[in-house]
Amino acid sequence: MAFLKRLGYFVFGLSLGIVCLTFFFKKKSDETGTSLSFCYLPNCRTLKDIRSKPLHYSEEISTLLLNKELDSTDIASFLTNGDVDFGNSDTKSNPCKTYLIEGNLHGKEAILTVKNCKDKAQISKLVY
């Protein structure tokens, strides 16, 4: 078989595979509601899991929200752009895992403590 004929088969198969993958990833991004961003790293997957559940606030966080020291957009920013500290988090407890999420709040470094249960996420504590 001539080299150009083999090259033609290769290019045809490669282009067919790229088209199939494009449709597959487009369908996957439409189902999850993410546009061209895939969460495969542990930090991203953990934050996405927490965001997908209904949020409940502890009394401490509710007080901060009522006193306008904290806003729900601040919490959303933590759950989108924060860094999960897996070394200090309790990821093996049952039924709720406790995660420490580091981020910036009003120009200060802050740590948000979140208890991630099976059907809800509770925002427990905020430390500057």
Side-chain angles (χ1 to χ4, degrees):
M1 185 181 288
F3 174 72
L4 289 177
K5 197 171 186 179
R6 287 191 310 228
L7 183 65
Y9 285 131
F10 173 76
V11 170
F12 175 73
L14 181 68
S15 60
L16 186 64
I18 289 173
V19 168
C20 290
L21 280 176
T22 303
F23 284 125
F24 172 74
F25 284 133
K26 172 116 175 92
K27 185 174 189 274
K28 183 173 181 161
S29 67
D30 288 343
E31 288 174 355
T32 59
T34 59
S35 59
L36 300 178
S37 66
F38 300 104
C39 286
Y40 291 117
L41 297 175
N43 187 62
C44 184
R45 287 175 38 201
T46 301
L47 293 176
K48 184 177 178 182
D49 182 49
I50 292 170
R51 285 192 311 263
S52 70
K53 298 175 183 173
L55 296 177
H56 297 275
Y57 303 115
S58 67
E59 288 186 30
E60 178 184 341
I61 299 297
S62 297
T63 304
L64 291 174
L65 288 169
L66 288 174
N67 293 340
K68 301 196 188 263
E69 296 175 30
L70 186 64
D71 192 4
S72 61
T73 57
D74 296 330
I75 294 173
S77 174
F78 263 96
L79 298 179
T80 304
N81 304 320
D83 294 320
V84 179
D85 183 6
F86 288 104
N88 293 325
S89 297
D90 184 14
T91 60
K92 298 189 183 196
S93 62
N94 278 333
C96 300
K97 299 176 181 179
T98 303
Y99 293 103
L100 300 176
I101 303 172
E102 300 172 345
N104 287 325
L105 184 63
H106 308 297
K108 299 178 191 174
E109 288 289 322
I111 299 174
L112 188 69
T113 304
V114 179
K115 290 187 178 185
N116 189 15
C117 300
K118 186 176 181 179
D119 50 352
K120 70 176 183 176
Q122 181 176 0
I123 312 297
S124 303
K125 187 167 60 169
L126 179 69
V127 177
Y128 289 100

